Amino acid sequence: MNKKLLFLLIASILLSNCNKQQQKNKKPTLVIGIVIDQMRYDYLTRYSDRFGNDGFNRILKNGFSLKNAHYNYIPTYTAVGHTSIFTGTTPSNHGIISNNWYDKFLKESIYCVDDNRYETVGNNSDVGKKSPHRLYTTTVSDQLHLAQNMQGKAIGIAIKDRSAILPVGHTANAAYWYDGGDNNKWVTSSFYMDTLPKWVTDFNENNKANDYLNETWNTLYPIETYTKSRADNNIFENNLKGQETPTFPKNLKELRTKNGNFSLIKTVPAGNTLTADFAKAAIIGENLGKNETTDFLTVSFSSTDYVGHRYGVAAVETEDTYLRLDKDLANFFQFLDTQVGAEKYTLFLTADHAAVHVPAYLQSLKIPAHYMSTKDFRDFILGITKKYFNSTELIENVSNYQIFLDKEKIHKLGLDVNVVAEKLADEVVNFEKIYKAVSAKTLQASQFSEGIMSSLQKGYNQKFSGDVLMIPYPATLISSRKGTSHGSGYSYDTHVPIIFYGNGIKQGSSSKKYDITDIAPTISTLLNIEFPNGTTGKVIEDVLK
């Protein structure tokens, strides 16, 4: 070979490698934030040998997994979790302090995304009177829009309205959620648009939900292989209406009439499949990931939460739901490879909270666990105010383990609000189910650097939270003795998976402790944009190439 040909060959190889490297270094054209509602970290390990190669195991093997990631605040509820993931901060800054909370200015209980200034787009119901107006900071997708001069699209999708709306913030092009009952429509709010896009109306007309609800929910594999779970028929699980026992099979076609008709799909694995179907339709319909700018899609799988609440974290139903979700994810990832391009997207997968084992089940194993009566607790509080201040009219509201004082009444009686709050904080721990209590004044004046009191402080918002905040004993619920819930700062509620995968992400894992608020600044760094404006999390450098 002569020198000229050799030179051209070397130059061609170098140019090809350079082009490949430039492609690898190029920012993703689509970022997908996947949130699985009520997913404990240990589901990844408990069911790992039952997952296929192309769902959870694909992103675990080829992405970067954080094995010791936690929520760093209280309360661990859906709205708060979704908000904290995408804002990179806690309720003390972003303002979403629960799903529902007592508004001490309006003197009424409010829902996090309700907004009567807007109307439903998609049907004639009231379920679309929503907006993110109670969210006081920006999200990653807000910052991406600002960085791209409002180019690119940001879309949120979930069965739950709050899980669709809050992740994509204030500048979203759309957020869509599912209206079941007899409506069976994916809808949105006039906050985003005046009419549904054609691809949404086409999806609604295809009526996939009806097809899924005409099936029977039986276990994906022979039921005797579900050895990771309790026996199918047990006393710790709730039934669907129309079933005498919480057992398989579940004839959805027969059960739907007694379980809210199309709303039943929210509470079975098919709800996750429907959500994935809609997300794929959105990517095609909105041409996401096909432009030079970066688009942002958030997808929350809500049915895992409904299943978990009804049956608990050790139920056959829960195991089967995750095995089916694994298949839905595998199908979704393959779709992204084909539709967007395997090198062109980045995703992360996490959960908005985890959950506790059914306390009655724990009690049966002689593990400390508790149930708390709200009536008994309120009577106890009123007994404190009667004893020390000779009044039972000092309490305005008790909710979310917070006490809101009636400040006008306290002033009229010539009492000091701080004195009343401190006395309540001192005395309320004598209630048998309350483990710790602190006044708002103490949270404002002191700094808790670690432990569960630090989590309480990060969830405290001076403007919106109550005057006394409390922490129950571990494994304490305000509910019936069947099924489970969440909301605490204990590890069973805070420990969730965080997995990064795709363009710009290293392969590996870490057992270092990270906070849920670290996701947003990490994705912002990947995209080379400004952090959300309330960010308190840190960049996870190990994740990024």
Side-chain angles (χ1 to χ4, degrees):
M1 183 180 293
N2 62 42
K3 291 182 178 180
K4 184 176 181 181
L5 287 174
L6 180 63
F7 174 79
L8 290 173
L9 179 61
I10 293 172
S12 176
I13 293 171
L14 290 174
L15 182 61
S16 176
N17 289 338
C18 181
N19 288 337
K20 288 179 180 178
Q21 190 61 42
Q22 285 179 343
Q23 181 65 33
K24 286 183 179 180
N25 293 336
K26 194 174 182 181
K27 286 196 299 186
T29 58
L30 178 62
V31 175
I32 308 105
I34 298 174
V35 182
I36 302 175
D37 205 320
Q38 201 187 123
M39 183 177 183
R40 292 164 54 112
Y41 173 81
D42 66 355
Y43 291 163
L44 285 179
T45 55
R46 190 191 308 181
Y47 307 140
S48 61
D49 61 341
R50 308 209 75 191
F51 291 146
N53 294 325
D54 301 320
F56 287 113
N57 284 332
R58 169 179 169 174
I59 59 175
L60 282 169
K61 179 181 178 181
N62 300 304
F64 199 99
S65 173
L66 306 181
K67 300 179 180 181
N68 191 21
H70 289 261
Y71 278 86
N72 58 339
Y73 61 80
I74 299 170
T76 45
Y77 293 139
T78 294
V80 197
H82 282 78
T83 305
S84 299
I85 291 165
F86 292 91
T87 62
T89 191
T90 63
S92 60
N93 292 314
H94 61 56
I96 303 298
I97 62 172
S98 188
N99 294 334
N100 304 79
W101 66 88
Y102 181 73
D103 189 311
K104 54 191 176 185
F105 303 101
L106 297 175
K107 307 296 183 186
E108 64 183 25
S109 292
I110 60 172
Y111 177 59
C112 56
V113 292
D114 274 351
D115 194 339
N116 287 327
R117 296 175 298 173
Y118 300 99
E119 299 298 328
T120 306
V121 177
N123 64 28
N124 295 322
S125 71
D126 290 333
V127 300
K129 293 184 175 183
K130 315 289 179 187
S131 85
H133 72 109
R134 291 190 174 94
L135 171 59
Y136 287 99
T137 61
T138 59
T139 64
V140 178
S141 58
D142 285 327
Q143 297 299 147
L144 181 61
H145 263 155
L146 291 170
Q148 297 182 148
N149 196 28
M150 300 309 293
Q151 300 300 304
K153 295 179 180 179
I155 295 174
I157 292 168
I159 279 178
K160 295 181 180 179
D161 49 24
R162 56 188 180 272
S163 305
I165 293 168
L166 295 169
V168 281
H170 308 277
T171 65
N173 299 86
Y176 300 102
W177 52 98
Y178 182 69
D179 183 17
D182 294 328
N183 291 318
N184 183 29
K185 292 287 189 294
W186 287 86
V187 300
T188 189
S189 164
S190 58
F191 174 83
Y192 303 102
M193 63 188 73
D194 295 326
T195 58
L196 289 178
K198 183 178 184 300
W199 68 264
V200 179
T201 57
D202 287 346
F203 188 93
N204 284 334
E205 288 172 3
N206 284 338
N207 202 9
K208 286 193 172 187
N210 192 64
D211 295 337
Y212 292 139
L213 287 176
N214 280 334
E215 298 176 356
T216 294
W217 179 16
N218 214 332
T219 52
L220 190 61
Y221 305 108
I223 197 166
E224 62 270 16
T225 67
Y226 286 69
T227 58
K228 314 288 185 182
S229 306
R230 292 187 302 258
D232 188 31
N233 191 10
N234 64 78
I235 63 172
F236 307 113
E237 302 174 10
N238 285 301
N239 304 340
L240 285 167
K241 293 178 181 178
Q243 277 198 304
E244 294 184 2
T245 58
T247 52
F248 287 97
K250 305 175 195 295
N251 188 323
L252 304 182
K253 187 174 182 178
E254 292 180 0
L255 291 168
R256 63 190 290 183
T257 57
K258 294 183 178 180
N259 291 273
N261 197 8
F262 284 102
S263 293
L264 176 61
I265 201 167
K266 302 177 182 181
T267 70
V268 297
N272 292 328
T273 309
L274 182 69
T275 302
D277 291 340
F278 191 78
K280 286 183 276 189
I283 291 170
I284 295 171
E286 297 290 345
N287 211 30
L288 300 183
K290 293 292 189 180
N291 301 301
E292 290 300 313
T293 53
T294 300
D295 298 318
F296 206 105
L297 176 68
T298 69
V299 183
S300 181
F301 292 101
S302 306
S303 295
T304 44
D305 185 64
Y306 290 103
V307 171
H309 276 292
R310 173 168 277 130
Y311 302 105
V313 305
V316 174
E317 285 85 354
T318 300
E319 182 176 350
D320 195 65
T321 296
Y322 277 89
L323 297 182
R324 291 176 180 276
L325 177 59
D326 182 59
K327 290 184 175 296
D328 287 332
L329 290 174
N331 185 277
F332 185 56
F333 298 156
Q334 181 60 51
F335 169 84
L336 291 172
D337 292 343
T338 303
Q339 178 66 25
V340 180
E343 297 291 332
K344 294 184 177 181
Y345 68 88
T346 302
L347 66 81
F348 63 86
L349 182 150
T350 188
D352 58 345
H353 53 75
V356 66
H357 275 279
V358 179
Y361 173 62
L362 296 177
Q363 290 172 349
S364 76
L365 301 174
K366 300 181 180 179
I367 296 174
H370 313 274
Y371 290 94
M372 183 168 156
S373 164
T374 54
K375 181 183 182 303
D376 290 349
F377 183 51
R378 185 173 181 83
D379 290 344
F380 186 86
I381 294 171
L382 295 179
I384 296 172
T385 62
K386 178 66 176 176
K387 177 179 179 180
Y388 291 99
F389 305 108
N390 197 33
S391 176
T392 57
E393 299 179 346
L394 308 184
I395 308 299
E396 197 165 87
N397 180 267
V398 181
S399 56
N400 293 322
Y401 291 107
Q402 298 183 30
I403 300 173
F404 294 81
L405 296 176
D406 188 332
K407 295 180 175 61
E408 290 185 11
K409 184 67 176 180
I410 290 172
H411 289 315
K412 284 181 181 179
L413 293 176
L415 300 170
D416 186 299
V417 170
N418 290 327
V419 170
V420 175
E422 289 296 342
K423 178 56 68 175
L424 281 166
D426 288 342
E427 293 294 323
V428 78
V429 291
N430 293 319
F431 188 75
E432 60 179 349
K433 303 302 190 309
I434 297 298
Y435 196 32
K436 299 176 185 291
V438 64
S439 69
K441 193 70 174 178
T442 298
L443 291 176
Q444 294 168 28
S446 305
Q447 184 65 40
F448 297 94
S449 59
E450 59 184 8
I452 200 164
M453 293 300 288
S454 173
S455 296
L456 187 69
Q457 190 165 51
K458 289 182 174 68
Y460 168 74
N461 186 291
Q462 183 178 357
K463 190 174 183 69
F464 303 120
S465 296
D467 301 289
V468 178
L469 291 83
M470 299 156 287
I471 299 173
Y473 278 107
T476 298
L477 292 184
I478 301 173
S479 67
S480 70
R481 294 178 63 83
K482 296 186 178 185
T484 194
S485 196
H486 49 85
S488 80
Y490 297 111
S491 62
Y492 54 75
D493 278 339
T494 66
H495 191 192
V496 296
I498 299 179
I499 309 168
F500 295 88
Y501 173 86
N503 184 312
I505 303 300
K506 287 181 183 176
Q507 183 179 4
S509 64
S510 174
S511 296
K512 296 178 185 176
K513 188 176 186 299
Y514 289 100
D515 296 328
I516 200 71
T517 50
D518 297 337
I519 293 175
T522 302
I523 292 297
S524 297
T525 300
L526 173 72
L527 297 175
N528 199 27
I529 61 174
E530 181 58 56
F531 295 176
N533 61 16
T535 296
T536 52
K538 59 185 180 298
V539 177
I540 309 170
E541 295 181 1
D542 291 344
V543 164
L544 303 176
K545 287 183 179 178

